[in-house]
Amino acid sequence: KQSAAPRDLSVPFDAARDSRLHHRGREQAYALRERCRDRFLDLLRDYEAARRDANRERLFPPADDAFFFRKRRPQRRGARQTRDAFRDRASQVCRAVPPEHVGWFARVFTDILTAAAAAEDVYDEADDAFWAGSPLETVPGQLRIFALFVVGADAKAFSDSLREVLVATLSEDVDADALPRTRVGEALAKRTAGAALLGFLRSAPNFGSSSQGRPRPADLDVVRVLQSVNDASDARAYFVAAWVCAFLAALQFDAASRREDTAIMDELEAL
């Protein structure tokens, strides 16, 4: 069965987010920021192309299997790790983003995530088969590339900024009754995709866990998330319930990768 055609994951220019007028006198930093975005999009395009290729070892060599929670594959004799590996390239992108622009990159990342979630989901049997047996198989197919980037980059500053952007997105006020019908799907996809990735971020080492003796940020706490349904106004209840379900579904990865089934149940007992 032929795999799905590559998706175009680029997003249009947004003056409020991308204009160089926000960076007068800092042309060098602006140019570096744009190169970072181009490298990120190149990586997404290469991943989309690799999804159609039965041999994905260029992006995901056997040497990186453990890093992505995969069962280790035998490595071919003489095979060498190259700079084309997804893990290395994701890390390079985050390291190249100037510290003052990490928040900007997190917003770009979230906008592309939203666009991918709003697009029609095409079942990709080959991609699911490749990640079978890894906790990454629990991540929705159209969002897997973004979870892989977070894992591969392993960048604390980026994970912190991404969490802040996702939480802000979920906190945006929305009135289901006032929203044009043509935009309901877009608004819903934005929140469910953001919540799914936020749930996935629970497993990021810098956010701690009960097993590590470090408290998580409140917005990653299961009880806090469930209470948001009860606190939602009637106009927001539909959207809040949808993104809470997406967040809870993402906990499959947390439990599978870190064996935290007990930790999650301990949080729920507080209810």
Side-chain angles (χ1 to χ4, degrees):
K1 183 177 179 179
Q2 189 175 9
S3 299
R7 298 171 293 173
D8 180 8
L9 295 176
S10 58
V11 293
F13 176 84
D14 183 331
R17 182 192 63 212
D18 304 321
S19 175
R20 69 177 63 240
L21 294 178
H22 301 312
H23 307 277
R24 290 177 177 172
R26 306 177 69 180
E27 290 296 319
Q28 186 176 2
Y30 177 84
L32 178 58
R33 193 183 72 168
E34 293 303 293
R35 285 198 296 273
C36 292
R37 176 167 58 183
D38 290 343
R39 291 170 68 179
F40 175 57
L41 289 172
D42 285 344
L43 180 56
L44 298 189
R45 294 185 187 107
D46 283 355
Y47 176 82
E48 287 297 310
R51 289 198 309 153
R52 307 178 69 197
D53 187 351
N55 180 7
R56 307 183 186 205
E57 289 193 10
R58 184 175 65 86
L59 284 182
F60 300 101
D64 284 348
D65 282 347
F67 196 82
F68 289 107
F69 312 102
R70 285 175 51 90
K71 182 179 179 180
R72 186 176 291 277
R73 293 164 289 169
Q75 191 164 354
R76 294 197 309 269
R77 181 175 298 178
R80 296 181 179 179
Q81 182 85 353
T82 71
R83 289 186 173 274
D84 289 334
F86 186 96
R87 174 188 174 186
D88 291 334
R89 290 173 64 185
S91 179
Q92 290 163 14
V93 169
C94 283
R95 288 202 307 268
V97 177
E100 65 271 26
H101 294 315
V102 173
W104 162 84
F105 181 60
R107 291 191 296 275
V108 169
F109 184 94
T110 302
D111 288 346
I112 298 175
L113 167 75
T114 299
E120 182 180 359
D121 184 21
V122 178
Y123 173 61
D124 190 336
E125 182 178 1
D127 197 54
D128 285 352
F130 184 79
W131 294 106
S134 162
L136 282 156
E137 72 176 335
T138 66
V139 180
Q142 75 268 41
L143 305 182
R144 190 172 291 136
I145 172 62
F146 303 97
L148 285 167
F149 185 88
V150 172
V151 172
D154 192 23
K156 181 181 186 304
F158 172 67
S159 294
D160 286 340
S161 291
L162 180 59
R163 179 183 65 85
E164 292 173 1
V165 171
L166 293 174
V167 170
T169 297
L170 296 177
S171 301
E172 290 176 358
D173 196 22
V174 58
D175 187 338
D177 296 329
L179 196 67
R181 181 171 298 181
T182 55
R183 294 195 55 202
V184 171
E186 175 187 343
L188 186 61
K190 181 178 182 179
R191 284 157 180 81
T192 54
L197 201 60
L198 190 64
F200 171 79
L201 280 176
R202 277 179 58 101
S203 63
N206 51 298
F207 293 136
S209 69
S210 56
S211 61
Q212 295 171 319
R214 298 199 306 270
R216 297 184 191 276
D219 40 55
L220 295 180
D221 181 79
V222 174
V223 174
R224 168 84 173 264
V225 169
L226 288 172
Q227 287 175 337
S228 63
V229 179
N230 186 58
D231 297 340
S233 65
D234 291 343
R236 296 185 68 237
Y238 171 73
F239 292 97
V240 172
W243 73 250
V244 166
C245 288
F247 177 90
L248 295 176
L251 300 187
Q252 296 178 82
F253 179 89
D254 198 21
S257 64
R258 302 172 66 83
R259 306 299 182 189
E260 290 206 329
D261 313 67
T262 303
I264 293 171
M265 292 308 298
D266 287 346
E267 292 179 33
L268 291 176
E269 283 182 4
L271 289 174

